[in-house]
Amino acid sequence: MRTSFSIPDDVVDAFDQVWQDQGLDNRSRAVREAMLEYIESHSRLEETTGEVVALVGFDYRHHDVIRELHTAQHEFQDVILNTSHTHQQEWCLESLFCRGSADRVRELTYRLRDFDGVRRVKVMVIQDQVG
């Protein structure tokens, strides 16, 4: 199947450099692998049930979404144990250390992904069974 995407040139350039450095045959193969990795990480989040410990990391433009992010973090204070924040030029990087139901962590993750000013959200489920 052929498809097309609108992707900023700098992202395509960086992506091309990575797959070429890794010795892959072509961009299509690299895109397939990236899509499979995305599906795998998304499925892991979808399939996890019960109580979890997780790290949710995301980067964002502070001035674009800070009020909305603070509101969301307060709404999910039942699962957010701790936060860490650092500035990276015009971007901020935030880490949320979470413990609670997988459903709530999943809701939080999807909520963060809804903000236009948030560039990426990564979730690492550290433990499926909290004892």
Side-chain angles (χ1 to χ4, degrees):
M1 171 196 313
R2 287 201 172 276
T3 190
S4 65
F5 300 96
S6 296
I7 302 170
D9 290 341
D10 62 326
V11 174
V12 173
D13 292 343
F15 184 76
D16 285 347
Q17 187 64 53
V18 169
W19 68 260
Q20 290 167 1
D21 287 350
Q22 291 181 351
L24 292 179
D25 297 333
N26 56 57
R27 184 187 290 153
S28 291
R29 174 157 179 176
V31 168
R32 262 193 317 275
E33 287 190 19
M35 291 175 86
L36 289 171
E37 186 174 311
Y38 177 82
I39 291 166
E40 180 181 294
S41 69
H42 183 74
S43 297
R44 168 99 161 106
L45 182 61
E46 284 296 311
E47 294 167 0
T48 301
T49 61
E51 296 290 305
V52 298
V53 173
L55 172 65
V56 180
F58 60 101
D59 59 340
Y60 62 96
R61 285 204 158 100
H62 183 274
H63 61 278
D64 291 348
V65 293
I66 193 61
R67 283 191 179 99
E68 294 87 354
L69 285 174
H70 282 166
T71 299
Q73 287 183 15
H74 283 272
E75 290 174 14
F76 287 89
Q77 64 185 342
D78 58 310
V79 293
I80 299 173
L81 299 177
N82 191 359
T83 64
S84 177
H85 179 92
T86 187
H87 300 278
Q88 298 298 314
Q89 298 169 352
E90 68 188 61
W91 290 91
C92 293
L93 177 63
E94 190 113 3
S95 300
L96 307 177
F97 300 92
C98 302
R99 181 179 182 152
S101 78
D103 289 339
R104 282 294 279 166
V105 173
R106 190 171 27 255
E107 286 176 45
L108 170 60
T109 301
Y110 294 157
R111 177 78 178 274
L112 294 171
R113 287 180 177 157
D114 278 343
F115 294 114
D116 289 337
V118 173
R119 185 165 53 175
R120 288 173 299 203
V121 179
K122 297 286 186 176
V123 181
M124 179 173 43
V125 177
I126 299 169
Q127 191 174 6
D128 286 329
Q129 303 287 325
V130 178

